[in-house]
Amino acid sequence: MIKFSKKTKTLFLISFLIFFILGIFGFIKFYPWFHQEWNEHYPFHRIRNVPQDNGIPRLMLYTDSGKDKILKDKYSDGSFELFDKNEKIASGKIKIKGRGNTTWRMPKKPYALKLEKKQSLLNMPKDSRYNLLNSFSDKSLVRTTFALHLGSIYDNLGYTPQTKDVEVFFNNKYYGYYNLTEKIKIAKDKINIPDISKVENLNDGGYFLEIGRLRNDFYFATNKGVNFALEDPEVVSEEAKVHIQNQIQTLEDSIFADNFADKSHGYRKYLDINSFIDWYIINEFTKNHDAKFIGSVNLYYNPYTQKVHFGPIWDFDISCGNCDYNNMSDYKGFWVKDAVWINRIFEDPEFVKQLKVRWNEKKNELYNAINSFIPERVSLLNEVQKYNFKAWTILGIDVWPNAYIGKTYDDEVNYLLTWLNNRYLWFDNEINSL
């Protein structure tokens, strides 16, 4: 029987412990579900003694159960109070559930809010439905606000949802900065069209679709493989669904027809070109990843114009250089232009001409939005961001899909401004060279 010296046994034990520890870290690194669970908890810190007013409105949410855990597919009952400058300006009963796709898997969750009765929150149109967007991967906290502001510059979209900066407390726990945003839907103050589910003649009805994710019971794919989902499918008849699918297929067929550029009989007969151009400029300029017909691409059919309109714009948290794959961090390069439908429309010389005119008509306002609007928003968030990043300790940490990891909030803002200004120079030259 071999006998080991005490020194050898000690070295063996130390080696075993080292390999054991390395194995644990390897397990965490290479098993995403474990890594995600580990990351679910470390960024959040419960902080106390938050100042009563950090310069933006404060939304207090309470669940009747007193529990913070909210499900995505089931509402929790609760109540809310909304304060502005320490004055309560709204309150009432509320239902809360989770929302989003990728963002729902992040530690800081986004939520859908359903008020007991319609109210105007922070001067937004009176409604009972609102969204809380989490601004987790966007550490500048202003990408969504900036992009939606562009909708007021390139204003042929018909409707762009409003968003307001708020601080959120959940059962008296500080959850930090959120975007309180309108829910996009068919309504008088939003997508103002007659709902196809409420008209006798289907030709008199409109509808709202999303391109990309097959996220509910009504979805279809066109012959070119573009996926569509319908908002609120449960209220639409089977006959209406067939009608909608046929209209969208007719539009696609016109885009790829031999005479597609014909002003009287081509795709312009079915597509509102002005809304499409504005939608394209905003999404291409911000190099919005999902806008390449991947997800969150909205359009609606307006029976008054008998055309499909692009918009409203939505979902910009991984735009403007905040994405580390598909070369999205490079301020150079077209992205949305290569999407199905869009690359074909670019073959129309009249479209390219209109695109140039529209870009040049509004580009100075866009430039001012970069260098005036963003700094103004950042100044407003000066105190909020300090406490937000005390609660969510993610500055200097790689949060999916960050292309840049700044050590400070100022670093994140400076990266965004530099990226946008470089993008502006490149974009202006390339659009005018088409």
Side-chain angles (χ1 to χ4, degrees), residues 26-40:
F27 182 78
I28 291 172
K29 180 176 179 62
F30 293 108
Y31 284 79
W33 63 268
F34 190 97
H35 184 68
Q36 180 180 354
E37 185 66 21
W38 184 66
N39 276 283
E40 281 280 313

Side-chain angles (χ1 to χ4, degrees), residues 2 45 66 94 211 228 335 422:
I2 300 174
H45 293 275
I94 196 171
I211 293 177
F228 285 86
W335 172 252
N422 286 334

